[in-house]
Amino acid sequence: MASVDPLVGDNAFKRCFKKFKSRVDPPNCSELPTFSQLGSRVPSVVLTHGSTFSASNTLKPAESWPIFRCTHLPGLVLIRNPFTPHGQLFWGLRCARDFARHPPQRTNLDREVDSEANFHWFESAQDDPSLWRKMRWSTLGYHHNWDTKVYSDQDVSPFPPDLAALTADLARTAGFPDFRAEAAIVNFYPLDGTLGGHTDHSEDNLQAPLVSISLGQSAIFLVGGTTKDVEPVPILLQSGDVVIMSGEARRAFHGIPRIVRVPQTSPDVSWARRLDQVTNPEFSERDQDFMLKYLDAHRININVRQVH
């Protein structure tokens, strides 16, 4: 486990964030705690009905998922990569091809490309790598207002049914049977991307869990307490890992100080293992080749919430 100097008080979160963000003395990720070191393993709740994706080829059998309930922060649950190699590629493609399309989604590029009615980032980026970094976020369902931090019933689009079913399965299998997906933010991180310390408190229902899925390159995830004076714990999130925040963890400060490039030889790079028998005919060969290159240089995070 990585040794972190005591940082309690005086904005401990900010100082820890700067420590892991530093390019001068980069962290040794092999020393970060594993999921099993962070908490105790709990049995999955095997789904007997109403499941869409647990029985599909995007997820491994639910009873095999390594699920850990963290001891340092009540309500923080970690699922170690429940996805198949095909599943990681499939959901990466859904994010880039479909969840970043406006309309009906909102993206950070909307204002920039309003005058180009035929612009579609996913298709254009395949021919122009300079566009890769430009896509940073998209919102689905209830669209988060970045200025007011408020959701509005007048600014909502249909939530993708397959993503709703996926996250309901993930939550239910981890012990949260009533989760209902209503809003999502999909973040697209380049290798130098970060996300500052914050809490997610825009939703009316702060008792419902928040489900977060990582794809592509790894990230150091810091999660602390309800104030920034609490020292955060660093967690290495790899492709396919799922974080569920509920209870006390739902109100905790968290952030991403660093994206970590994964060696191609790593067994965790399951999205890069191209197997013809698991490719999906819904996506063209060109789309899949692009996605493999994109995931090799980016991290995608799907963050799903229940608003009401």
Side-chain angles (χ1 to χ4, degrees):
M1 185 180 298
S3 60
V4 180
D5 296 331
L7 296 171
V8 177
D10 192 24
N11 207 328
F13 192 101
K14 181 178 179 180
R15 287 191 286 153
C16 189
F17 191 96
K18 289 176 67 175
K19 173 186 175 74
F20 282 98
K21 183 181 178 182
S22 172
R23 302 286 167 179
V24 177
D25 184 22
N28 183 350
C29 293
S30 65
E31 296 180 355
L32 295 179
T34 63
F35 283 14
S36 59
Q37 290 173 314
L38 289 165
S40 56
R41 184 164 180 172
V42 296
S44 61
V45 178
V46 179
L47 305 180
T48 56
H49 65 279
S51 169
T52 301
F53 285 97
S54 289
S56 77
N57 61 357
T58 66
L59 289 173
K60 303 168 187 173
E63 58 271 20
S64 70
W65 299 356
I67 303 175
F68 300 88
R69 195 174 302 279
C70 290
T71 54
H72 77 281
L73 186 57
L76 182 62
V77 176
L78 305 170
I79 306 178
R80 179 73 179 98
N81 186 19
F83 294 90
T84 63
H86 164 67
Q88 293 189 49
L89 186 60
F90 174 89
W91 288 107
L93 277 161
R94 283 288 280 148
C95 288
R97 190 193 72 168
D98 304 320
F99 299 162
R101 181 186 286 272
H102 173 74
Q105 277 62 251
R106 308 278 192 275
T107 81
N108 65 294
L109 296 178
D110 293 350
R111 293 178 183 175
E112 182 177 336
V113 301
D114 273 351
S115 61
E116 303 177 51
N118 295 322
F119 179 84
H120 181 205
W121 173 81
F122 178 73
E123 295 167 356
S124 300
Q126 295 191 49
D127 298 317
D128 184 0
S130 69
L131 294 174
W132 290 17
R133 290 180 60 87
K134 289 194 173 184
M135 178 59 69
R136 302 308 290 266
W137 57 262
S138 65
T139 58
L140 296 69
Y142 279 87
H143 297 290
H144 187 262
N145 187 309
W146 301 98
D147 297 321
T148 65
K149 312 296 184 188
V150 173
Y151 293 103
S152 168
D153 289 336
Q154 280 68 54
D155 191 15
V156 59
S157 60
F159 195 91
D162 58 350
L163 182 59
L166 169 73
T167 50
D169 276 2
L170 292 170
R172 205 178 321 162
T173 306
F176 303 95
D178 300 321
F179 177 75
R180 184 176 70 254
E182 294 178 319
I185 300 174
V186 182
N187 290 303
F188 298 84
Y189 293 90
L191 291 175
D192 59 355
T194 62
L195 180 65
H198 67 285
T199 61
D200 295 295
H201 54 266
S202 297
E203 295 73 34
D204 295 338
N205 184 358
L206 295 181
Q207 301 304 312
L210 182 154
V211 180
S212 176
I213 301 168
S214 295
L215 297 169
Q217 299 304 303
S218 298
I220 296 177
F221 175 62
L222 298 182
V223 57
T226 54
T227 74
K228 287 190 175 181
D229 290 338
V230 177
E231 177 186 2
V233 172
I235 303 173
L236 182 67
L237 297 180
Q238 298 171 297
S239 190
D241 289 345
V242 178
V243 174
I244 299 177
M245 301 175 74
S246 67
E248 185 178 330
R250 184 69 172 77
R251 301 182 296 278
F253 278 89
H254 55 282
I256 302 288
R258 192 181 195 90
I259 305 300
V260 181
R261 191 172 185 84
V262 182
Q264 282 293 310
T265 55
S266 169
D268 293 307
V269 190
S270 56
W271 44 266
R273 292 203 283 269
R274 254 310 276 286
L275 304 175
D276 290 338
Q277 62 266 35
V278 296
T279 55
N280 194 309
E282 179 184 351
F283 301 104
S284 70
E285 194 79 12
R286 182 172 183 262
D287 287 353
Q288 294 179 80
D289 287 341
F290 166 77
M291 203 64 226
L292 289 171
K293 294 174 183 175
Y294 186 84
L295 289 176
D296 187 48
H298 296 79
R299 172 182 184 252
I300 298 176
N301 172 243
I302 314 170
N303 202 292
V304 183
R305 303 104 183 279
Q306 180 173 325
V307 175
H308 297 301

